[in-house]
Amino acid sequence: MAGNSFGDIFKITSFGESHGKSIGVVIDGCPAGLAIDLNHIQFELDQRKPATYTGASSRKEDQNFEILSGVFEGKTIGTPICMVVYNKDQKSDDYNHLETVFRPSHADYTYFAKYGIRDHRGGGRQSARETVARVLAGAIAKQILKTYGISINALVTQIGEVCFDAPILEEHLLFSTQNELKTADEITKVNMQASIENALKTGDSLGGVITCICMGVPAGIGEPVFDKLHAVLGQAMLSINAVKGFEIGSGFAGASMKGSAHNDLFEFKDGKIATQTNFSGGIQGGISNGAPIEMKIAFKPVSSIAQPQQTINNINEHVSLSIKGRHDACVLPRAVVIVEAMAALTILDFILKNNSSRLQPFDTKN
Amino acid sequence: MAGNSFGDIFKITSFGESHGKSIGVVIDGCPAGLAIDLNHIQFELDQRKPATYTGASSRKEDQNFEILSGVFEGKTIGTPICMVVYNKDQKSDDYNHLETVFRPSHADYTYFAKYGIRDHRGGGRQSARETVARVLAGAIAKQILKTYGISINALVTQIGEVCFDAPILEEHLLFSTQNELKTADEITKVNMQASIENALKTGDSLGGVITCICMGVPAGIGEPVFDKLHAVLGQAMLSINAVKGFEIGSGFAGASMKGSAHNDLFEFKDGKIATQTNFSGGIQGGISNGAPIEMKIAFKPVSSIAQPQQTINNINEHVSLSIKGRHDACVLPRAVVIVEAMAALTILDFILKNNSSRLQPFDTKN
Amino acid sequence: MAGNSFGDIFKITSFGESHGKSIGVVIDGCPAGLAIDLNHIQFELDQRKPATYTGASSRKEDQNFEILSGVFEGKTIGTPICMVVYNKDQKSDDYNHLETVFRPSHADYTYFAKYGIRDHRGGGRQSARETVARVLAGAIAKQILKTYGISINALVTQIGEVCFDAPILEEHLLFSTQNELKTADEITKVNMQASIENALKTGDSLGGVITCICMGVPAGIGEPVFDKLHAVLGQAMLSINAVKGFEIGSGFAGASMKGSAHNDLFEFKDGKIATQTNFSGGIQGGISNGAPIEMKIAFKPVSSIAQPQQTINNINEHVSLSIKGRHDACVLPRAVVIVEAMAALTILDFILKNNSSRLQPFDTKN
Amino acid sequence: MAGNSFGDIFKITSFGESHGKSIGVVIDGCPAGLAIDLNHIQFELDQRKPATYTGASSRKEDQNFEILSGVFEGKTIGTPICMVVYNKDQKSDDYNHLETVFRPSHADYTYFAKYGIRDHRGGGRQSARETVARVLAGAIAKQILKTYGISINALVTQIGEVCFDAPILEEHLLFSTQNELKTADEITKVNMQASIENALKTGDSLGGVITCICMGVPAGIGEPVFDKLHAVLGQAMLSINAVKGFEIGSGFAGASMKGSAHNDLFEFKDGKIATQTNFSGGIQGGISNGAPIEMKIAFKPVSSIAQPQQTINNINEHVSLSIKGRHDACVLPRAVVIVEAMAALTILDFILKNNSSRLQPFDTKN
């Protein structure tokens, strides 16, 4: 109801403010018996760290997580898993100049309008710091999905005006995990890096696009009508800070195609049902068809820029604002793991829901 | 859980198959005391009827609704409102040739993969006929929103390759309600009509884009983190049949803008807080800022086309399929009222949720 | 949220007022593939009919149900099942004398306090007529439970001051299905009948107790902490009109026992784990232990009595009220099937939830 | 779904095992603007501490809580409030002898049957230690209810065979807060103390009854049908460890009363609507009527007793078990604050829900 939970069966509840004591998450509904890989969770967390690429924030965010409950002798036991990262670098003095000012295209004003209260410390709950909770929970979701042979891979396909437009092959996915901009090939990386450096010089910022591909999801996953698989994936992605657009399969390009070109023809090949094309993006009528699930997610440019901007304060005076502090010129590379986390959380939840779609023989051992 | 409900407080549950006995909806959580305008509900239903424009389906869908509960002496009484449209024109024989065939880019195969059962009569539950339920509930949501001074207006801004790209003014909204293609001006209408006729001649189909604008939503509506207002609007729109993309505000275009251009600068004007531009689309950090909420929704071309297509049947044989029956070459004009319904349902639910955001003096009369 | 839904996976939404057009229910989440036994549903409905026993209401409630959706060729198809009973005998004139009066121990006043509106026709939504919805849904739940070897049996163990106190044996369950008072043996039946007749003569009414026994529920069903199996069974039973008390296992009697007497000692017998006694009522820590689940449910006497009573009207005047119309002197026998329905709905929902308790090998066919 | 959350708007999620790192709770949906009284929270926590009365456990539970999120400058800010108590006294060696044994009337066996995993350390999640989470959240709920003039008071009215049967007056409520057994008067206290000492001597344990009274709840709070106020109160109470029965108002005694005696006659007195008696327990048709809400909750005797008992181990061998460690002979006095917490959480949630019962003028400031 109040918006801090996601999922129905594998349900997560996120808590914590940017400069409060901690950021954390409770997972309720994680099946018992999973051997947790702590190194993998840490690896995932490290992906959203302010990175080494030029133009990334220099805030030293602490990233060591602690498991407070739900794991015993290395395994999940069916009880809620609480994980936290305690905030150590809490120099909220950096934000004192923001106490009375509404930053343009931030959520300062809207939170104040809603709650009647202002937490000016680094954006409080609106900060992207909150996504630590998603990455922690997403890491566990990924570990379960892996036991099902499902993999989730996202990569940066656009930063500013630099796009990677070719079909995404396995070699691109591999390359994306090996470069700090998490993009598809060397030439795109170089061009993106140049764009970011240019934005940085001018005190400006850039947006971009992340493409996410989920492989191994069997046909039949999803719920019809309001909870179509791609509809909930859409909510999941649009809930990430700065996201302004979502496409499944052909997306907006599909709007100008003809039906005869857009329809994905079925064929029976190598012993299984497949489609010749994948404009559907792996989902038809809200339910997976066994093809890779493909999404694109558009991010607006970062709102915190060094250039002075006009705005108002909380007594309606016009003021000029130059945002200090440590901010990214482009967050796309750091957001890749967040996109993956939201995809993993969504798909796992739908797989667990699917257990009840058909009348089944009852296993009394369960 | 099983996907047929939407909303938390103003919660609707949709039921019914295309060629079953009825399509209907139960609204649980409609506030008591609303004087229901039956004519308005019928007017809304009529907007999604197979229309007079060339290229629309000729199926004579019955559209007379009946209220089975929840209204007494013309007013809502706080109990669940059940509304149904009984299906009369159920010539499901038209669909016998589909009993064993999976239509390309339909949900025949995915439903079968999920449920192990095939309802071949006009698509069963996957049919857009289900949206009757949404329009019925949406009409009541609109009536409540009207008492708050909130209006929801959608119009067709693209069909196939014909686009209306100019800023949308009040005159465009007005024109859209007065032409059968529900588009913004005369020239666009003429071009769209030509495109549709052309598609029809070639046994093909078209997609397009609907733009939706919500005016009068005050600042402070929305829930942070996972249930951001635009994230749930995104789910709502992506849950409509054939939708492949969603944008709030700048959308994918925002991805290539710079922060200095994209930031919506605040100003205090005419006694209230406003922004000079609206790339945010009326929502910041998931919460409304008082500006118009602006969305774009991309629809793929209709999957049912007259041209023969290759596909497979349920014993994995390759077959050629020519879809008979009465189908639209383009559904966009009929989908306008559905988009509006989903927007109204979403925004009303968030307004009701917002009642508990702040500690309030307790009204014992309530 | 607004209270008309029950269950998480097998979720029902009830609608309809006593003297409105219909009473009905939507089941969302019924697994596909169940062959529906229509005769059994009708049989169940008939159990809650105003019966032949002296002291039962003579209202001719229509009891013919219709399935509006979710069933195709006799089987559930995974889509929402809507079932309705249209109200035919709507002589709401009988209730005109109640339009301005608050009946003692009815919900007239509290509904008015909540909604600001009065539906005086036979109690509107507060009427026990609503339980038609529960029985319809419960019948389908029972049919699924039967495929798992689970049976639900309730019987009347107290009416007024007449109690059946002996341990309940199979012969008692059998007898209860064969007599109109649904009690355990002949002597109790005769005494109960005499009590009811006496209450009727004096224009008075009686309450009583129903005992419910669920057999065949395997060990391991239930959720810990807030959704303990017996806690949700408690909610389910307390949600039935006129219920004032609920006991699982030893109940209030257990409060005066010593631990050494109350503990159910485990033993391994006939190849399975069992307990020597069953003070736990088949549930330990909120999870079933394989023993029969045993509950007692207390009903207050019917509020509508023929004797004149003092009350107030809606302008706060004291008035004397004699309730006309057709009312039961004792509803217990009619409530047996309602108790069973709520037990079946609860247990089935928990069985479906249990599918996700443990990490499982993934069945891609599912 | 997985049972660790309670409430719809004021929603709590409990986490932590008895001998894990921490016990904690996340509150999502706490209105912004409440000045938190930390001393009151600590006071409440102290009420459930192993107390000074003879027969209470001597485990030194750490009870210092920490707020990890959701409070800024002493006030709630509308974001999730996470509170934890870190477990320090984790001598789980005490429990090694239980690793392979199923304790009678504990949840060892049922958890194992459900999850396939055994956390033998002090009962893990089934331990009453979990109720720390409820008391923390309940304290905040009470603080909000206080601003509405609502008070929640529970007291011990039965331990073993010693009962306090007289009507509960304000002096009894007052006395109960001033004695360690939390009972109604001196003579009952002395008799209860003697009973407990006797049970202790014989290595046995006692159950009892807690009565809970909520004053100041206005008429009109509650939701009809499945979420009747007393039905959810029933679930709330039955979810507390060891509870076997629940009564609202007349409860089981009401089952043997006649309607003419049980009906609560309305009167208009001192300018407001009231009832002459309160067999309804303050709730009619699931909605409050303005009278005090009165409930009774039955607790079974503690399962952990010093006397040797027969049971089985995890390879189905019969073994004799003597439970070591620090256990209460009677938990009733410690459970009073838990009962109050669950009542407060339930009633607050329903008050917040009630904000949407009627169509209301829209406050754009909100």
Side-chain angles (χ1 to χ4, degrees):
Chain A
M1 274 283 310
N4 297 288
S5 292
F6 186 79
D8 286 327
I9 292 184
F10 192 90
K11 179 166 204 151
I12 70 169
T13 300
S14 157
F15 61 86
E17 295 86 41
S18 175
H19 287 67
K21 279 197 187 165
S22 71
I23 297 286
V25 68
V26 180
I27 305 172
D28 193 21
C30 184
L34 178 75
I36 295 281
D37 179 345
L38 297 176
N39 290 334
H40 172 256
I41 301 176
Q42 189 62 58
F43 173 82
E44 293 284 292
L45 259 190
D46 290 346
Q47 304 304 304
R48 69 167 292 292
K49 262 211 283 203
T52 52
Y53 61 93
T54 310
S57 160
S58 62
R59 178 179 175 193
K60 280 178 199 65
E61 294 187 3
D62 192 75
Q63 299 274 12
N64 294 318
F65 71 98
E66 202 170 314
I67 298 182
L68 295 186
S69 66
V71 177
F72 178 52
E73 297 179 344
K75 284 194 173 176
T76 60
I77 54 174
T79 66
I81 301 170
C82 182
M83 296 188 282
V84 291
V85 172
Y86 296 101
N87 292 326
K88 284 177 190 156
D89 184 14
Q90 302 176 26
K91 290 195 218 155
S92 54
D93 289 355
D94 281 9
Y95 297 94
N96 284 352
H97 68 300
L98 297 176
E99 194 165 355
T100 59
V101 175
F102 298 127
R103 290 171 297 170
S105 287
H106 272 275
D108 300 340
Y109 169 60
T110 57
Y111 268 64
F112 183 70
K114 180 175 177 64
Y115 297 113
I117 269 190
R118 182 77 194 277
D119 176 2
H120 63 281
R121 305 162 303 163
R125 184 77 181 141
Q126 30 157 316
S127 165
R129 177 86 174 133
E130 178 276 329
T131 56
V132 163
R134 305 176 186 223
V135 173
L136 287 169
I140 291 186
K142 278 184 178 177
Q143 292 181 25
I144 298 176
L145 289 176
K146 198 179 169 189
T147 69
Y148 297 154
I150 296 171
S151 66
I152 313 278
N153 293 283
L155 74 173
V156 175
T157 47
Q158 182 182 337
I159 284 183
E161 295 182 340
V162 182
C163 300
F164 176 82
D165 280 334
I168 295 166
L169 308 175
E170 256 184 67
E171 62 192 74
H172 301 128
L173 293 177
L174 183 64
F175 184 85
S176 76
T177 64
Q178 295 168 345
N179 76 97
E180 62 208 15
L181 291 186
K182 307 218 186 286
T183 193
D185 63 12
E186 183 63 26
I187 180 73
T188 311
K189 188 192 111 180
V190 169
N191 291 338
M192 285 178 171
Q193 187 66 47
S195 279
I196 293 173
E197 282 166 21
N198 195 46
L200 205 61
K201 264 184 235 157
T202 54
D204 217 329
S205 66
L206 297 174
V209 173
I210 289 174
T211 299
C212 182
I213 300 174
C214 310
M215 275 176 297
V217 180
I221 305 298
E223 299 295 329
V225 189
F226 301 110
D227 294 348
K228 289 185 166 80
L229 179 51
H230 60 280
V232 179
L233 283 167
Q235 183 203 341
M237 298 307 164
L238 288 155
S239 80
I240 299 173
N241 291 19
V243 173
K244 306 299 286 182
F246 174 83
E247 295 184 327
I248 180 78
S250 62
F252 278 83
S256 52
M257 291 174 71
K258 296 223 165 121
S260 56
H262 192 279
N263 280 355
D264 294 317
L265 303 185
F266 283 110
E267 60 184 358
F268 189 75
K269 201 173 156 182
D270 304 334
K272 45 181 239 165
I273 294 170
T275 57
Q276 293 178 16
T277 49
N278 190 18
F279 294 110
S280 298
I283 299 176
Q284 294 174 324
I287 301 171
S288 62
N289 68 358
I293 295 174
E294 296 190 10
M295 303 163 269
K296 284 189 183 166
I297 301 106
F299 289 73
K300 69 168 185 176
V302 175
S303 303
S304 292
I305 58 173
Q307 292 182 19
Q309 302 171 87
Q310 181 204 300
T311 189
I312 57 167
N313 64 16
N314 60 4
I315 51 170
N316 298 330
E317 294 170 332
H318 286 203
V319 294
S320 175
L321 173 70
S322 297
I323 295 176
K324 302 174 205 166
R326 303 146 300 178
H327 297 285
D328 298 271
C330 178
V331 296
L332 273 282
R334 298 176 62 190
V336 163
V337 71
I338 303 166
V339 164
E340 290 179 353
M342 293 312 299
L345 290 165
T346 305
I347 289 170
L348 175 57
D349 195 41
F350 275 94
I351 285 175
L352 296 176
K353 283 185 202 181
N354 223 46
N355 287 336
S356 307
S357 296
R358 300 187 192 186
L359 198 63
Q360 288 171 37
F362 188 56
D363 176 5
T364 57
K365 286 208 199 66
N366 190 31
Chain B
M1 274 284 308
N4 297 289
S5 291
F6 186 78
D8 286 327
I9 292 185
F10 191 91
K11 180 166 204 152
I12 70 169
T13 300
S14 157
F15 61 86
E17 295 86 41
S18 175
H19 288 66
K21 279 198 188 165
S22 72
I23 297 286
V25 69
V26 179
I27 306 172
D28 193 21
C30 184
L34 178 75
I36 295 280
D37 180 345
L38 299 176
N39 290 334
H40 172 255
I41 301 176
Q42 189 62 56
F43 172 82
E44 293 285 292
L45 260 190
D46 291 345
Q47 303 304 303
R48 72 166 291 293
K49 264 210 284 202
T52 52
Y53 61 92
T54 310
S57 160
S58 62
R59 176 178 177 195
K60 279 178 200 63
E61 294 188 2
D62 192 73
Q63 299 275 11
N64 294 317
F65 71 99
E66 203 170 313
I67 298 182
L68 294 186
S69 66
V71 177
F72 178 52
E73 297 179 342
K75 285 192 173 178
T76 60
I77 54 174
T79 66
I81 301 170
C82 182
M83 295 187 283
V84 292
V85 172
Y86 296 102
N87 292 326
K88 284 178 189 156
D89 184 15
Q90 302 176 25
K91 291 196 216 153
S92 54
D93 289 355
D94 282 8
Y95 298 93
N96 284 353
H97 68 300
L98 297 177
E99 195 164 354
T100 58
V101 175
F102 298 126
R103 291 170 296 169
S105 287
H106 273 274
D108 300 341
Y109 169 61
T110 57
Y111 268 64
F112 183 71
K114 180 175 178 64
Y115 298 114
I117 269 190
R118 182 79 193 276
D119 176 4
H120 63 281
R121 306 162 302 164
R125 183 79 181 139
Q126 29 156 318
S127 165
R129 178 85 174 133
E130 178 275 328
T131 56
V132 163
R134 305 176 186 223
V135 173
L136 288 168
I140 292 187
K142 277 184 178 178
Q143 292 182 24
I144 298 176
L145 289 176
K146 198 179 169 190
T147 69
Y148 297 155
I150 297 171
S151 66
I152 313 279
N153 293 283
L155 74 174
V156 175
T157 47
Q158 183 182 336
I159 284 182
E161 295 182 341
V162 183
C163 300
F164 176 82
D165 281 334
I168 294 166
L169 308 176
E170 255 184 65
E171 63 192 73
H172 301 128
L173 293 177
L174 184 64
F175 184 85
S176 75
T177 64
Q178 294 168 345
N179 77 94
E180 63 208 16
L181 291 186
K182 306 215 185 290
T183 192
D185 62 13
E186 183 63 26
I187 180 73
T188 312
K189 189 192 109 180
V190 169
N191 291 337
M192 286 176 170
Q193 187 66 46
S195 279
I196 293 174
E197 282 167 21
N198 194 44
L200 205 62
K201 264 182 235 157
T202 54
D204 217 328
S205 66
L206 297 174
V209 172
I210 288 175
T211 299
C212 182
I213 300 175
C214 311
M215 275 176 295
V217 180
I221 304 299
E223 299 296 329
V225 188
F226 301 109
D227 294 348
K228 290 185 167 80
L229 180 50
H230 60 281
V232 179
L233 283 166
Q235 183 203 341
M237 297 308 163
L238 288 155
S239 80
I240 299 172
N241 290 20
V243 172
K244 305 299 286 181
F246 174 82
E247 294 183 327
I248 181 78
S250 61
F252 278 83
S256 52
M257 290 173 71
K258 297 223 164 122
S260 57
H262 192 279
N263 280 355
D264 294 316
L265 302 186
F266 283 111
E267 61 184 357
F268 190 75
K269 201 174 157 181
D270 303 334
K272 44 181 242 168
I273 294 170
T275 57
Q276 293 177 16
T277 49
N278 189 18
F279 293 111
S280 299
I283 300 176
Q284 294 174 324
I287 301 171
S288 61
N289 69 358
I293 295 173
E294 296 190 10
M295 302 164 268
K296 285 189 183 167
I297 301 104
F299 289 74
K300 70 168 185 176
V302 175
S303 303
S304 292
I305 58 175
Q307 293 182 19
Q309 303 171 87
Q310 181 203 301
T311 188
I312 58 167
N313 63 17
N314 60 4
I315 51 171
N316 298 329
E317 295 169 331
H318 286 203
V319 295
S320 175
L321 172 70
S322 296
I323 294 176
K324 302 175 206 165
R326 303 146 299 178
H327 296 285
D328 297 271
C330 177
V331 296
L332 273 281
R334 297 177 62 189
V336 163
V337 70
I338 303 166
V339 163
E340 289 179 353
M342 294 312 298
L345 290 166
T346 305
I347 288 171
L348 175 57
D349 195 42
F350 275 94
I351 284 176
L352 296 176
K353 282 186 201 180
N354 223 46
N355 287 335
S356 306
S357 296
R358 300 187 193 187
L359 197 64
Q360 288 171 39
F362 188 56
D363 176 5
T364 57
K365 286 209 198 66
N366 189 32
Chain C
M1 275 281 309
N4 297 289
S5 292
F6 186 78
D8 286 327
I9 292 184
F10 192 91
K11 180 167 203 151
I12 69 168
T13 300
S14 157
F15 62 85
E17 294 86 41
S18 174
H19 288 67
K21 279 198 188 165
S22 71
I23 296 286
V25 69
V26 179
I27 305 173
D28 193 21
C30 184
L34 178 75
I36 295 281
D37 180 345
L38 298 176
N39 290 334
H40 172 255
I41 301 176
Q42 189 62 58
F43 173 82
E44 291 285 291
L45 260 191
D46 291 346
Q47 303 304 304
R48 70 166 291 293
K49 262 210 282 203
T52 51
Y53 60 93
T54 310
S57 160
S58 61
R59 176 178 177 194
K60 280 180 200 62
E61 295 187 3
D62 192 74
Q63 300 274 11
N64 294 319
F65 70 99
E66 204 171 311
I67 297 182
L68 294 185
S69 67
V71 177
F72 179 53
E73 298 179 343
K75 283 193 174 179
T76 60
I77 54 174
T79 66
I81 302 170
C82 182
M83 297 187 281
V84 291
V85 172
Y86 296 101
N87 292 327
K88 284 178 189 156
D89 184 14
Q90 302 176 26
K91 289 194 217 154
S92 54
D93 290 355
D94 283 7
Y95 297 93
N96 284 353
H97 68 300
L98 297 177
E99 194 164 354
T100 59
V101 174
F102 298 126
R103 290 171 296 170
S105 286
H106 273 275
D108 300 340
Y109 169 61
T110 57
Y111 268 63
F112 184 71
K114 180 175 178 65
Y115 297 114
I117 269 190
R118 182 78 194 278
D119 176 3
H120 63 281
R121 304 162 302 164
R125 184 76 180 142
Q126 29 156 317
S127 165
R129 178 86 174 134
E130 178 276 329
T131 56
V132 163
R134 306 176 184 221
V135 172
L136 287 168
I140 292 185
K142 278 184 180 178
Q143 292 181 25
I144 297 176
L145 289 177
K146 197 178 169 189
T147 69
Y148 296 154
I150 296 171
S151 66
I152 314 279
N153 294 283
L155 74 173
V156 176
T157 47
Q158 183 182 337
I159 284 183
E161 295 183 341
V162 182
C163 300
F164 176 82
D165 281 333
I168 294 166
L169 307 177
E170 257 185 65
E171 63 191 73
H172 301 128
L173 293 176
L174 183 65
F175 184 86
S176 75
T177 64
Q178 295 168 343
N179 77 96
E180 63 208 16
L181 291 187
K182 308 217 185 286
T183 193
D185 63 12
E186 183 64 26
I187 179 74
T188 312
K189 187 192 113 182
V190 169
N191 291 337
M192 285 177 170
Q193 187 66 46
S195 280
I196 293 174
E197 283 167 21
N198 195 45
L200 203 63
K201 264 183 235 160
T202 55
D204 217 329
S205 66
L206 297 175
V209 172
I210 289 174
T211 299
C212 182
I213 301 175
C214 311
M215 274 175 297
V217 179
I221 304 299
E223 299 296 330
V225 188
F226 301 111
D227 294 348
K228 291 185 166 80
L229 179 50
H230 61 281
V232 179
L233 283 167
Q235 184 204 340
M237 298 307 164
L238 287 155
S239 80
I240 301 172
N241 290 20
V243 172
K244 307 297 286 180
F246 174 82
E247 295 183 328
I248 180 77
S250 62
F252 278 84
S256 52
M257 292 174 71
K258 295 219 165 124
S260 56
H262 191 279
N263 280 355
D264 294 317
L265 302 186
F266 283 111
E267 59 184 359
F268 190 74
K269 201 173 156 182
D270 304 332
K272 46 182 241 166
I273 294 171
T275 57
Q276 294 178 15
T277 48
N278 190 18
F279 294 110
S280 298
I283 300 175
Q284 294 175 323
I287 301 170
S288 62
N289 68 359
I293 295 174
E294 296 190 9
M295 303 164 268
K296 285 189 182 166
I297 301 105
F299 289 73
K300 68 169 186 176
V302 175
S303 302
S304 292
I305 57 174
Q307 293 183 18
Q309 302 172 87
Q310 181 204 301
T311 188
I312 58 167
N313 64 17
N314 61 2
I315 50 170
N316 297 330
E317 294 169 331
H318 286 203
V319 294
S320 176
L321 172 71
S322 296
I323 296 176
K324 303 174 206 165
R326 303 146 300 179
H327 297 285
D328 298 271
C330 178
V331 296
L332 273 281
R334 299 177 61 191
V336 163
V337 71
I338 303 166
V339 163
E340 290 178 353
M342 294 311 300
L345 290 165
T346 305
I347 288 170
L348 174 58
D349 195 43
F350 275 94
I351 284 174
L352 295 175
K353 283 186 203 182
N354 224 46
N355 286 337
S356 306
S357 296
R358 301 188 194 187
L359 198 64
Q360 288 170 37
F362 188 56
D363 175 5
T364 57
K365 287 209 198 63
N366 188 32
Chain D
M1 274 285 306
N4 297 288
S5 292
F6 186 79
D8 286 326
I9 292 184
F10 192 91
K11 180 165 203 152
I12 70 170
T13 301
S14 157
F15 62 85
E17 295 86 41
S18 175
H19 289 67
K21 279 198 189 165
S22 72
I23 296 287
V25 69
V26 179
I27 305 172
D28 192 21
C30 184
L34 178 75
I36 295 279
D37 180 345
L38 299 175
N39 289 334
H40 172 255
I41 300 176
Q42 189 62 59
F43 173 81
E44 293 284 292
L45 260 190
D46 291 346
Q47 302 305 304
R48 72 165 290 293
K49 264 211 282 202
T52 51
Y53 61 92
T54 311
S57 159
S58 62
R59 177 178 176 194
K60 280 179 201 64
E61 295 188 1
D62 193 73
Q63 300 274 10
N64 294 318
F65 70 99
E66 203 170 313
I67 298 182
L68 294 185
S69 67
V71 177
F72 179 52
E73 297 179 342
K75 284 192 173 177
T76 61
I77 54 175
T79 65
I81 301 170
C82 181
M83 296 188 281
V84 291
V85 171
Y86 296 101
N87 292 327
K88 284 178 188 157
D89 184 15
Q90 303 176 25
K91 292 195 216 156
S92 54
D93 290 356
D94 282 8
Y95 297 94
N96 285 353
H97 68 300
L98 298 176
E99 195 163 353
T100 59
V101 175
F102 298 127
R103 291 170 296 169
S105 287
H106 273 274
D108 300 340
Y109 169 61
T110 57
Y111 267 63
F112 183 71
K114 179 175 178 65
Y115 297 113
I117 269 192
R118 182 78 193 277
D119 176 3
H120 64 281
R121 305 161 303 163
R125 184 78 180 140
Q126 30 156 316
S127 164
R129 177 86 174 133
E130 178 275 329
T131 56
V132 163
R134 306 176 185 222
V135 173
L136 287 168
I140 291 186
K142 277 184 179 177
Q143 292 181 25
I144 298 176
L145 289 177
K146 197 179 168 188
T147 71
Y148 297 154
I150 296 171
S151 65
I152 313 279
N153 292 284
L155 74 174
V156 176
T157 47
Q158 182 181 336
I159 284 182
E161 295 182 341
V162 182
C163 300
F164 177 82
D165 281 333
I168 294 166
L169 308 176
E170 255 184 66
E171 63 192 73
H172 301 127
L173 293 176
L174 183 64
F175 184 84
S176 75
T177 64
Q178 295 169 345
N179 77 94
E180 64 209 15
L181 291 185
K182 307 215 186 289
T183 193
D185 63 12
E186 183 64 27
I187 179 75
T188 312
K189 187 192 112 181
V190 170
N191 291 338
M192 286 176 170
Q193 188 65 47
S195 280
I196 294 173
E197 282 167 23
N198 195 43
L200 204 63
K201 264 183 236 158
T202 54
D204 217 328
S205 67
L206 297 175
V209 173
I210 289 175
T211 300
C212 183
I213 301 175
C214 311
M215 275 176 294
V217 179
I221 304 300
E223 299 295 330
V225 188
F226 301 111
D227 294 348
K228 290 184 167 80
L229 180 49
H230 61 279
V232 179
L233 283 167
Q235 183 203 342
M237 297 307 163
L238 287 155
S239 80
I240 301 172
N241 291 19
V243 172
K244 305 299 284 182
F246 174 82
E247 294 183 328
I248 181 77
S250 62
F252 279 84
S256 52
M257 291 173 70
K258 296 219 164 125
S260 56
H262 192 278
N263 280 357
D264 294 317
L265 302 186
F266 283 111
E267 61 185 358
F268 190 74
K269 201 173 156 182
D270 304 333
K272 46 182 241 166
I273 294 170
T275 56
Q276 292 177 18
T277 50
N278 189 18
F279 293 110
S280 298
I283 300 176
Q284 294 174 324
I287 301 170
S288 62
N289 68 359
I293 294 174
E294 296 190 10
M295 302 164 269
K296 285 189 183 167
I297 302 106
F299 289 74
K300 69 169 185 175
V302 174
S303 302
S304 292
I305 57 174
Q307 293 182 18
Q309 303 171 87
Q310 181 203 300
T311 187
I312 58 168
N313 64 18
N314 60 4
I315 50 170
N316 297 330
E317 295 169 331
H318 285 203
V319 295
S320 175
L321 172 70
S322 296
I323 294 175
K324 302 174 206 166
R326 304 147 298 178
H327 296 286
D328 298 270
C330 176
V331 297
L332 273 281
R334 297 177 63 190
V336 162
V337 71
I338 303 165
V339 164
E340 290 178 352
M342 293 312 299
L345 290 165
T346 305
I347 289 171
L348 175 58
D349 195 43
F350 275 94
I351 284 175
L352 296 175
K353 283 186 200 179
N354 223 46
N355 286 336
S356 306
S357 296
R358 300 187 192 186
L359 197 64
Q360 287 170 39
F362 188 56
D363 176 4
T364 56
K365 286 207 199 65
N366 189 32

